[in-house]
Amino acid sequence: MIPTVEQEIALIEAVRAAAKAEILPRFRNLDAEAIGSKANADDLVTVADRGSEAMIGAAVKEILPEAEVIGEEAVSENPALLDRIAEAETCVIIDPIDGTWNFARGLAIFGVLLAVVEKGETVLGLLYDPLADDWILARKGGGAFFCTPEGKCERLDITGPQPQTEFAGFAAPWLLPEHMRVRMASELVGCGRVMDIRCACHVYRMMCFGNGRFSIDLKLMPWDHAAGALALTEAGGTVGLMDGRDYSPTITDGYMLGARDAKTHAEMRAKFGWIVE
């Protein structure tokens, strides 16, 4: 069930409505009891995450009634839901607030991610910035576009010459096992300026805008990557796992590598492949 243009618009409006109702009123306005943790003390969840997921999920069931809906917060309660991504004919994956740590700490770097997956392959990706109220929409084989409510819809293409800059990309070596962190951090220093902004939505958006040569992600959850990997690919970039596997939203083990082009992807795999040896 590949979404029609009307269904795409409805999905976008559902995400915008949830941001307006559940996310923005709570930004820098969360009481302590409105913030909790999941797997560890650094893995935060807020009432805004849960409210946004519930609102988007309900809208998705109206727009695509035959689709399975898989939200990050629902999976935290029932991990078996992840299996449905591979089993379902059509699945909609929701990250109701990507960058929850930033959101809960008052940092303006967070977003909403939504992906439509058909038979295990992402066919539609939405990367939404609630504060700016703009988004990247990507269609499998149809390109990636930067869009605004005023009607701007600009195709993104990073295949041309890029300006020289000290900014190299994105990585978070602290997510590696402890015995590997120092080596990775020291090798990243040699690459140039590397950032950890704790938000996959904005990492992929930055890469789609041509900012950064690579991104290395050491957590591989589908709500973090399904939409963004499609968007970066459709903008002309290259994505895949560090061990050489092609990316799929059904894969939750391994390390993700995104790059501006295939040459950079190969170079980064050669340089950092030791982390999967």
Side-chain angles (χ1 to χ4, degrees):
M1 182 193 301
I2 297 175
T4 64
V5 172
E6 291 76 16
Q7 288 167 331
E8 286 180 5
I9 293 170
L11 290 170
I12 293 166
E13 291 307 309
V15 169
R16 293 181 69 209
K20 183 177 180 180
E22 298 289 343
I23 299 174
L24 293 177
R26 295 185 170 106
F27 182 51
R28 296 178 180 163
N29 190 34
L30 286 169
D31 297 328
E33 59 269 21
I35 305 172
S37 59
K38 295 183 286 187
N40 55 64
D42 201 42
D43 186 11
L44 301 184
V45 62
T46 73
V47 293
D49 293 83
R50 294 191 174 106
S52 174
E53 182 167 303
M55 188 170 174
I56 296 170
V60 168
K61 294 304 291 184
E62 294 288 330
I63 300 163
L64 300 172
E66 297 179 9
E68 289 274 4
V69 179
I70 306 297
E72 178 182 3
E73 307 315 327
V75 172
S76 73
E77 299 293 330
N78 180 10
L81 291 174
L82 276 179
D83 295 337
R84 297 185 183 177
I85 297 174
E87 297 167 356
E89 185 80 11
T90 304
C91 179
V92 178
I93 303 172
I94 303 166
D95 192 339
I97 302 180
D98 181 60
T100 296
W101 192 93
N102 292 345
F103 175 79
R105 302 306 183 207
L107 296 176
I109 306 175
F110 57 89
V112 182
L113 293 166
L114 182 147
V116 179
V117 176
E118 181 80 5
K119 298 179 181 177
E121 183 177 33
T122 310
V123 296
L124 183 78
L126 175 65
L127 298 81
Y128 179 69
D129 182 340
L131 290 171
D133 190 24
D134 58 30
W135 57 93
I136 290 176
L137 182 71
R139 305 178 183 96
K140 177 69 176 177
F145 299 83
F146 173 64
C147 306
T148 70
E150 294 75 30
K152 178 178 181 179
C153 194
E154 174 186 340
R155 185 158 190 161
L156 301 174
D157 183 354
I158 59 173
T159 59
Q162 299 292 330
Q164 293 296 316
T165 174
E166 292 182 357
F167 178 53
F170 305 89
W174 60 274
L175 289 173
L176 278 173
E178 188 172 356
H179 69 281
M180 303 166 72
R181 294 173 190 168
V182 172
R183 178 178 173 183
M184 186 176 188
S186 64
E187 292 185 6
L188 284 170
V189 168
C191 294
R193 183 175 295 178
V194 179
M195 299 180 182
D196 171 21
I197 61 173
R198 301 183 68 110
C199 180
C201 180
H202 279 287
V203 167
Y204 280 113
R205 282 172 57 110
M206 290 280 282
M207 291 287 291
C208 287
F209 291 138
N211 299 309
R213 295 187 297 108
F214 65 87
S215 63
I216 300 172
D217 202 298
L218 306 174
K219 292 179 66 178
L220 199 59
M221 302 310 295
W223 42 82
D224 289 329
H225 298 289
L230 176 64
L232 181 55
T233 301
E234 291 296 328
T238 301
V239 298
L241 273 65
M242 191 69 78
D243 60 12
R245 287 177 292 170
D246 292 335
Y247 173 69
S248 165
T250 61
I251 299 174
T252 57
D253 67 295
Y255 301 139
M256 186 73 163
L257 174 62
R260 177 178 295 169
D261 49 44
K263 179 175 181 291
T264 303
H265 197 273
E267 289 174 355
M268 291 299 104
R269 275 196 67 209
K271 184 176 182 65
F272 292 103
W274 58 267
I275 68 175
V276 295
E277 292 174 355

